[in-house]
Amino acid sequence: NEQLQMEVEAQASEMQRVEHEMRLMRERLPADSQEALERALSAVVGDQSAAWARMERPDPSLPSAQDLLNPDSMERVLERLEKERNDLASQITVLRQELDRESAVSRNFKVLQVQELEDAKQKARRFLLDREKWERISASHIKSIQDVQKRIA
């Protein structure tokens, strides 16, 4: 309980410090920038997806709540995010290239299958024609043999 109470007090004092810094920052901005800042902050505070910034994270690559409020550390956060975006973009590019290669291989394989199927059909037609030819030759020989047998008999 004591440790929890100490953490609550530490968070309350940190919130007061941040609110004081935000008031100072707001006072230094022109009126239109103040309104834009208030809208942006209300969107961040109201957005539940931004809750990760308020939670303690063991991963040092995730920015802390203090990092998001400090202009100097915000630059580092933006740089880190831009690097991550660039890394993701390069990974996407590599994946797209692999997908294009796989698609080309698939298309080539499909063309090859169609060609092999056509070759098999032509071969079957040739075998059928050859069979018909040999059947005619055989029938002709049988007829010739029967004719010769009739003459002999």
Side-chain angles (χ1 to χ4, degrees):
N1 280 343
E2 292 178 8
Q3 186 178 7
L4 183 61
Q5 190 172 7
M6 288 175 29
E7 287 181 19
V8 169
E9 290 174 3
Q11 286 180 355
S13 67
E14 182 66 24
M15 285 176 50
Q16 287 176 352
R17 185 187 66 77
V18 168
E19 288 175 354
H20 177 69
E21 288 178 8
M22 293 302 293
R23 273 193 299 274
L24 291 176
M25 184 187 314
R26 184 175 178 266
E27 292 171 2
R28 292 183 199 139
L29 292 173
D32 57 339
S33 296
Q34 287 178 4
E35 292 174 11
L37 176 65
E38 287 175 5
R39 282 192 307 269
L41 288 175
S42 66
V44 169
V45 170
D47 188 5
Q48 291 183 359
S49 65
W52 62 269
R54 294 186 291 272
M55 296 172 58
E56 259 187 62
R57 301 278 182 174
D59 188 355
S61 67
L62 296 177
S64 67
Q66 290 177 342
D67 288 340
L68 294 176
L69 297 175
N70 186 348
D72 294 332
S73 61
M74 184 59 92
E75 288 180 25
R76 288 191 302 272
V77 169
L78 290 174
E79 289 171 1
R80 189 177 327 139
L81 288 174
E82 185 169 348
K83 182 184 179 304
E84 287 179 26
R85 183 183 61 93
N86 291 338
D87 290 345
L88 288 172
S90 66
Q91 288 176 3
I92 288 171
T93 302
V94 168
L95 290 174
R96 282 187 179 153
Q97 290 171 349
E98 288 178 20
L99 181 62
D100 289 344
R101 266 194 305 272
E102 291 295 325
S103 295
V105 167
S106 178
R107 282 190 303 273
N108 290 342
F109 186 66
K110 196 171 193 175
V111 167
L112 182 63
Q113 284 179 324
V114 168
Q115 186 178 8
E116 286 179 350
L117 181 62
E118 189 59 37
D119 289 346
K121 285 179 182 179
Q122 286 178 358
K123 193 174 185 181
R125 280 189 217 115
R126 279 195 308 264
F127 283 139
L128 186 59
L129 291 173
D130 284 348
R131 179 179 168 209
E132 290 172 355
K133 179 180 93 174
W134 288 111
E135 285 175 350
R136 283 192 309 272
I137 291 172
S138 174
S140 172
H141 283 304
I142 290 174
K143 177 113 168 109
S144 296
I145 291 172
Q146 288 173 347
D147 287 343
V148 170
Q149 286 177 343
K150 281 182 186 177
R151 280 191 216 155
I152 294 178

